[in-house]
Amino acid sequence: MIDERAEHRATEHGGLAPATGDGVRAVHAQGWYCCSGSLLFILFLLAAVLANYWGR
């Protein structure tokens, strides 16, 4: 992880480090914020059940 920080600092900030006391912010991955993994799983199961009934 330290290598990733050093590489990011070198490429994005020209090697400059943040000021003392300036913490590193956590960046969340972009994606579907409204849907958790369990909700997507339930939707998948519902779609599978409906496809099963539709195929009969």
Side-chain angles (χ1 to χ4, degrees), residues 26-43:
V27 178
H28 300 284
Q30 293 180 353
W32 290 19
Y33 293 111
C34 67
C35 300
S36 66
S38 59
L39 178 61
L40 291 176
F41 182 70
I42 290 170
L43 290 175

Side-chain angles (χ1 to χ4, degrees), residues 4-18 22 25:
E4 292 175 0
R5 287 183 183 175
E7 182 181 341
H8 171 79
R9 186 176 295 137
T11 58
E12 299 296 324
H13 306 290
L16 299 174
D22 186 12
R25 291 186 322 230

